Amino acid sequence: MKVISYGGGVQSTALLVLAARGEIDFHTFLFTNVGDDSEHPATLTYVREIAVPYAAHAGLDVHELKRRRRDGATETLMERLNRPDTRSIPIPVRMANGAPGRRNCTADFKIKVVGRWLREHGATAEAPASVGIGISLDEIHRANRRRREAHEVVEYPLLDLGLRRDDCERIIANAGLPVPPKSSCFFCPFRTVGAWRHQRRHEPELFARSVQLEETINHRRAALGRDDVYLTRYGVPLTQAIPDESPGEGDVDEDEGACDSGWCMT
């Protein structure tokens, strides 16, 4: 069994095109949707309106997966974050010193969801499935084969082909497809400062929801006698960290956008 962990971003969409052209031997793509209330809406639109029809035309399968509880009910990441009884925070919020906290979101809402699907379709520790991850050569530091289940073998097709992100964009464009936006939850603390500025200016509803999430988390932490945490590394609330008059939408902050899982932001 061979599948691609499809994130709806540039690298994994390039893998979709390469599979359609027969240049990599993968026919099944697993899009793990952490929640319509959590994924960036542009990513959901791209996957459902562009990637899925393109894959179907090429004879490829794209399956949209969601986290399921033991009782069979689905759970989104936003729902988990807003549960009154949640004591730990599954996303890598920033501490007062700017350091990221623990991150369980990737494991709980992507790796384990894919792993469950693979087990249900016959993968075992003795006969593991190959899971392709969309990490390109310029992000080779994100490659981490330890982040997997026992019945999986992780592969990096873009690294094998020596392809960079700009190569991926060219592959997508040459297929006649629009280049997708960077994929991540719209409130991910690993978003770059430029992405936060763009959100505040051009996606005010999403920015307001991010602000509300940060406030909800800190109200709960205050009740437990814990310090505030933040969605950026600046140690202040989001509205102060990303003010309206922020200059330079194209500014780059090399300290952020650093999720090393490979299962996200591809």
Side-chain angles (χ1 to χ4, degrees):
M1 188 187 306
K2 302 187 69 171
V3 304
I4 294 290
S5 174
Y6 182 59
V10 170
Q11 284 97 331
S12 59
T13 297
L15 291 176
L16 184 66
V17 174
L18 291 171
R21 297 192 329 208
E23 296 183 30
I24 59 172
D25 185 24
F26 289 88
H27 302 278
T28 302
F29 288 69
L30 304 180
F31 172 60
T32 310
N33 178 3
V34 304
D36 282 17
D37 57 358
S38 307
E39 297 277 1
H40 196 289
T43 296
L44 294 173
T45 297
Y46 190 93
V47 170
R48 292 167 177 169
E49 297 184 7
I50 295 174
V52 169
Y54 174 81
H57 183 73
L60 305 175
D61 294 318
V62 177
H63 299 279
E64 183 173 322
L65 311 182
K66 297 181 180 180
R67 175 176 169 78
R68 299 200 311 271
R69 299 192 186 100
R70 291 182 179 178
D71 62 3
T74 60
E75 179 186 34
T76 73
L77 181 53
M78 184 65 83
E79 288 172 346
R80 169 82 66 85
L81 288 165
N82 281 281
R83 262 175 34 194
D85 61 339
T86 297
R87 298 179 65 87
S88 61
I89 307 171
I91 61 174
V93 288
R94 302 289 183 141
M95 304 295 112
N97 63 0
R102 295 182 62 184
R103 180 181 77 242
N104 297 324
C105 48
T106 301
D108 288 351
F109 286 84
K110 286 188 177 289
I111 297 175
K112 291 180 180 178
V113 174
V114 168
R116 180 173 183 168
W117 188 93
L118 295 174
R119 290 195 306 273
E120 291 173 348
H121 289 78
T124 65
E126 294 73 29
S130 295
V131 180
I133 306 291
I135 290 179
S136 51
L137 196 60
D138 45 321
E139 296 185 338
I140 193 171
H141 58 281
R142 297 180 64 199
N144 187 341
R145 296 181 187 275
R146 293 173 298 172
R147 294 180 183 272
R148 62 178 181 84
E149 299 281 89
H151 48 276
E152 301 170 352
V153 176
V154 174
E155 297 186 15
Y156 298 102
L158 295 175
L159 297 185
D160 295 339
L161 294 171
L163 297 176
R164 297 180 176 272
R165 184 181 175 88
D166 56 354
D167 297 319
C168 294
E169 292 179 350
R170 184 170 58 253
I171 288 168
I172 295 167
N174 288 343
L177 301 177
V179 174
K182 190 176 184 68
S183 64
S184 71
C185 295
F186 68 85
F187 50 81
C188 179
F190 281 135
R191 291 171 62 81
T192 64
V193 171
W196 280 119
R197 288 173 178 160
H198 179 91
Q199 186 179 105
R200 175 151 199 173
R201 290 182 179 181
H202 303 290
E203 301 167 329
E205 292 183 4
L206 292 183
F207 190 79
R209 290 166 62 191
S210 298
V211 169
Q212 182 179 29
L213 174 63
E214 188 181 67
E215 292 175 348
T216 296
I217 290 172
N218 282 323
H219 286 157
R220 189 180 303 128
R221 287 180 64 84
L224 296 171
R226 297 175 181 173
D227 294 338
D228 284 355
V229 293
Y230 308 98
L231 294 182
T232 72
R233 64 182 178 85
Y234 294 116
V236 295
L238 191 56
T239 51
Q240 296 176 37
I242 312 295
D244 261 338
E245 64 274 12
S246 294
E249 204 174 291
D251 291 356
V252 176
D253 189 331
E254 296 295 346
D255 245 6
E256 298 200 49
C259 180
D260 65 349
S261 73
W263 293 75
C264 298
M265 298 185 177
T266 60

